[in-house]
Amino acid sequence: MAASDQKTDPFPGYAPVPQEKLNKFKRKDKNKMPSRLKEKLRVVVSNSEAAAKLAQTHAARYDLLLPEDAGFLEGDEGEDTCNISQEDIAAAVDITSGAKYFNLDLSQFGPYSLDYSKTGRHLLLGGKRGHVACLDWQSKQLMCEINVMETINEVRWLHTEAMFAVAQKKWLYIYDSNGIELHCIRKFNDVLRMQFLPYHFLLATASATGFLQYLDVSVGKEVAAIGTKAGRLDVMSQNPHNAIIHLGHSNGTVSLWSPNQREALVKMLCHHGGVRSLTVDKTGTYMVTSGMDKKLKVYDIRALKPLQSYFLPAGASCLSLSHKGLLSAATGDVVQVYRDVWGTPVTKPYMAHRVRGAVWGLNFCPFEDVLGVGHGEGFTSMVVPGAGEPNFDGLDANPYRSAKQRQEWEVKALLEKIQPELICMDPGQLGLVDKASLAQLQQDRAEALGYDPLAKEKFKPRLRTKGRSRTGKIEKRKKQVAHVDQRDIIKQSVEDKMKMEKERKQKERKEVVLSGQKSALDRFNK
């Protein structure tokens, strides 16, 4: 067949990707490389940027394969969605979604705190009077149930659903999913609140004695113990974007902490009374706080400025933010859910529900439209349409992974563990060149050598003919010129040293002469 008869592709190459899709998966701006950058380092930086751009393009192109979208609750004309009850929602949706609304009657050992695993599949409950239970809440299959016979302040899953931490009255305990005690860590005493940093394998604890401590669960060692000097620490949250710990204090301030510094990175005065609860969204942009002054405030963490302020008649005792930005606030036994609290001012809640007892803990389930509520009479699972992220990353948190996949993921996560030294306010600064440190290194090198090797331009030999510009000849001429320059510099430095030594000896001679002269007052010396 002739070449002219072959059909040409009217759309050659890859399909173009819209710019708005690329901006969605953009990680950081392009690095500004200094002019005096070594060629090898320049190639490494260029290759890294090319790989990041390729990953961004592929992620934007494959976004078409994620058709799931978050849907919200919409009422009829003139109907408020906050008046729709959980029973009506459970009756209107399919059987699988309706089964996500349920109540656990656990009045004997309450009130209960709770935590969902990273995959959103498993639920951990801890009663104030010692009851601990973990279960697969979707299939309602109980994994273990124990009573530690001691007061429980907080429970928290670790990197997988195979281990969890319990902050008991005296010390911190680690249990496995069968309820067997693995460790009793007596260095961590009087713990009130806990947060687990999944990419650093760090368990951060806040105690009644005012200490913020970090435990590396991969090796079982204490990374840092910081005395905050702020009294009892019973309000705690983490920034999922940069792993900074936020602490709320009784004087109305919120402080930001890193394990690398002994002092707070930032201190903000947020309320005129004590801080009751706080939470941070997953992008690390907004922080929501509630205080004893009955106000709920939204802050922009980037600028450290308030965006919105709301007055709640009874204040909010517990706060939680979902993946899609829904805010749940508990007031007594009433749980209210708000939409877009950092945009336009909100006048009424998106949803509301009354539970059987005073609310003790709130937590949105990852990748599910479910809000878990722990209260004095047990546990309630609420259906909140539009709360969860519909598309999950199967390589990071896969709710449907098998035991073998979980083991392989755990090995890879340990190999890719981020060191605690890299925790900072702006993670984008980690990929930049520290010019101040580079200048300091050059200055130290110049002081050690006695001269600055970068002050003068390097000698470039002139091209010669008849084989006199071979590589060996060129290097030999470079060394000769370098030795001559270095000889002159060393000669000058030796002359300066000799001059200083001569001046010192003359000064010593003068002091000896002056000390040898007799004074008229020497006759009184005995």
Side-chain angles (χ1 to χ4, degrees), residues 51-75:
K53 187 176 180 181
L54 181 64
Q56 177 188 0
T57 306
H58 283 334
R61 195 183 303 280
Y62 298 147
D63 193 43
L64 296 171
L65 302 177
L66 301 175
E68 299 294 335
D69 196 8
F72 289 95
L73 187 65
E74 294 184 2

Side-chain angles (χ1 to χ4, degrees), residues 295-442:
K295 287 187 178 180
L296 187 144
K297 294 185 178 181
V298 183
Y299 286 86
D300 187 343
I301 302 178
R302 298 167 297 182
L304 302 176
K305 291 182 179 179
L307 296 178
Q308 302 288 345
S309 179
Y310 304 97
F311 179 79
L312 300 178
S317 58
C318 296
L319 298 174
S320 180
L321 276 168
S322 74
H323 280 178
K324 290 310 235 179
L326 295 185
L327 173 69
S328 62
T331 303
D333 61 346
V334 177
V335 179
Q336 296 178 335
V337 182
Y338 296 89
R339 238 180 115 178
D340 193 20
V341 290
W342 40 73
T344 56
V346 179
T347 56
K348 57 183 178 181
Y350 167 60
M351 290 183 67
H353 182 65
R354 186 182 296 274
V355 294
R356 301 175 184 176
V359 177
W360 191 259
L362 285 176
N363 213 335
F364 278 100
C365 180
F367 312 114
E368 293 286 350
D369 292 342
V370 168
L371 172 63
V373 183
H375 48 81
E377 297 296 321
F379 170 79
T380 299
S381 177
M382 290 175 52
V383 179
V384 183
E389 174 63 47
N391 301 306
F392 59 87
D393 185 357
L395 298 177
D396 182 28
N398 186 1
Y400 307 106
R401 66 189 180 190
S402 61
K404 183 68 175 176
Q405 288 174 324
R406 177 181 62 80
Q407 292 170 1
E408 292 180 357
W409 171 87
E410 187 173 358
V411 173
K412 291 178 182 178
L414 283 168
L415 293 174
E416 297 171 356
K417 183 180 76 168
I418 303 174
Q419 296 301 317
E421 292 78 12
L422 300 181
I423 297 178
C424 59
M425 285 290 291
D426 186 8
Q429 296 292 327
L430 296 174
L432 303 180
V433 178
D434 192 353
K435 296 181 180 179
S437 299
L438 186 61
Q440 185 64 34
L441 288 173
Q442 292 178 357

Side-chain angles (χ1 to χ4, degrees), residues 184 458 523:
C184 172
K458 290 185 177 181
R523 69 185 70 180

Side-chain angles (χ1 to χ4, degrees), residues 156-300:
R156 191 68 57 181
W157 287 111
L158 298 184
H159 52 286
T160 64
E161 58 272 10
M163 286 195 298
F164 58 89
V166 180
Q168 296 177 204
K169 183 178 181 181
K170 286 187 177 181
W171 299 307
L172 176 66
Y173 290 81
I174 308 294
Y175 297 90
D176 69 353
S177 58
N178 295 322
I180 300 172
E181 181 184 324
L182 301 178
H183 303 285
C184 172
I185 308 172
R186 303 194 179 189
K187 272 190 176 181
F188 291 69
N189 59 308
D190 300 325
V191 175
L192 297 177
R193 293 289 177 265
M194 295 187 293
Q195 289 290 331
F196 184 71
L197 310 178
Y199 301 106
H200 303 76
F201 283 79
L202 289 180
L203 180 66
T205 64
S207 67
T209 55
F211 274 86
L212 174 64
Q213 295 172 277
Y214 289 85
L215 174 69
D216 190 337
V217 299
S218 61
V219 294
K221 290 186 179 180
E222 184 184 36
V223 174
I226 304 170
T228 60
K229 302 175 184 176
R232 182 184 175 89
L233 302 176
D234 56 352
V235 179
M236 185 183 191
S237 183
Q238 68 161 304
N239 188 335
H241 177 64
N242 54 16
I244 294 293
I245 294 296
H246 295 232
L247 296 178
H249 306 291
S250 58
N251 57 0
T253 60
V254 172
S255 56
L256 279 60
W257 297 86
S258 165
N260 306 317
Q261 294 192 20
R262 311 296 298 181
E263 299 294 331
L265 303 176
V266 176
K267 283 187 178 180
M268 303 169 57
L269 180 60
C270 298
H271 295 275
H272 294 295
V275 180
R276 297 182 68 184
S277 182
L278 63 91
T279 182
V280 184
D281 76 318
K282 70 169 187 176
T283 62
T285 307
Y286 303 105
M287 177 180 71
V288 184
T289 64
S290 65
M292 299 291 289
D293 54 359
K294 301 181 181 180
K295 287 187 178 180
L296 187 144
K297 294 185 178 181
V298 183
Y299 286 86
D300 187 343

Side-chain angles (χ1 to χ4, degrees), residues 480-498:
Q480 288 175 353
V481 173
H483 288 328
V484 170
D485 294 343
Q486 192 173 357
R487 192 182 304 121
D488 295 339
I489 293 169
I490 293 174
K491 185 178 178 182
Q492 183 66 35
S493 63
V494 169
E495 289 178 355
D496 292 341
K497 286 183 180 179
M498 291 177 64

